[in-house]
């Protein structure tokens, strides 16, 4: 703990407290100080742990998380999605458009039909 006084300065005179050499009076004084400091000491002990520190920040953290969620919701609702065209899986796979009906047909194409489709795809 840092103090304003120099380490080489003379000790503080506590004679004005009036404890003198009476041990009972000194113990009474120490007891009163400990009782008066108990709430602050308990608060410091509670916050000394990481969990206590996190719990002391719960309201600001929840407020910040709520604000971030609200901003994200506004951005997502305002975001205009790009215009999409209907693209089939066959087109994505690179199958020529003329070949697609043959994939769903109940009969196989003849070699001549496949040759015509092949020539039309190039």
């Amino acid at each position: 703990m840092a103090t304003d006084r120099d380490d080489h300065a003379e000790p503080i005179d506590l004679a004005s407290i009036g404890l003198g050499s009476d041990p009972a009076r000194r113990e009474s004084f120490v007891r009163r100080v400990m009782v008066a400091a108990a709430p602050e000491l308990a608060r410091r002990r509670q916050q000394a742990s990481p969990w206590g520190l996190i719990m002391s920040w719960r309201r600001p953290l929840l407020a910040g998380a709520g604000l971030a969620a609200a901003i994200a919701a506004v951005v997502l609702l305002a975001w205009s999605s790009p215009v999409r065209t209907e693209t089939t899986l066959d087109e994505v796979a690179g199958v020529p458009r003329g070949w697609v009906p043959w994939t769903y047909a109940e009969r196989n194409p003849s070699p001549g039909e496949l040759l015509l489709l092949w020539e039309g795809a190039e």
Side-chain angles (χ1 to χ4, degrees):
M1 177 169 60
T3 59
D4 290 339
R5 67 186 193 95
D6 188 6
D7 288 339
H8 301 292
E10 293 191 24
I12 299 173
D13 182 22
L14 298 176
S16 62
I17 296 176
L19 297 179
S21 62
D22 185 13
R25 189 170 178 165
R26 186 176 305 131
E27 285 299 317
S28 172
F29 178 75
V30 169
R31 205 171 315 120
R32 286 190 317 243
V33 168
M34 292 303 289
V35 167
E40 178 63 19
L41 293 174
R43 184 188 70 82
R44 288 182 183 188
R45 267 193 306 274
Q46 181 182 8
Q47 287 188 350
S49 71
W51 183 248
L53 183 62
I54 290 171
M55 292 305 288
S56 70
W57 279 88
R58 70 180 175 261
R59 283 186 181 170
L61 286 175
L62 287 174
L67 182 62
I71 290 171
V74 167
V75 168
L76 287 175
L77 291 174
W79 190 275
S80 61
S81 60
V83 177
R84 296 184 184 199
T85 59
E86 289 296 322
T87 305
T88 63
L89 182 60
D90 302 320
E91 292 171 339
V92 172
V95 176
R97 187 175 294 267
W99 290 23
V100 174
W102 292 112
T103 58
Y104 297 110
E106 300 214 3
R107 65 175 185 82
N108 291 333
S110 67
E113 293 171 324
L114 284 176
L115 186 58
L116 287 173
L117 288 175
W118 183 263
E119 289 174 356
E122 293 181 20

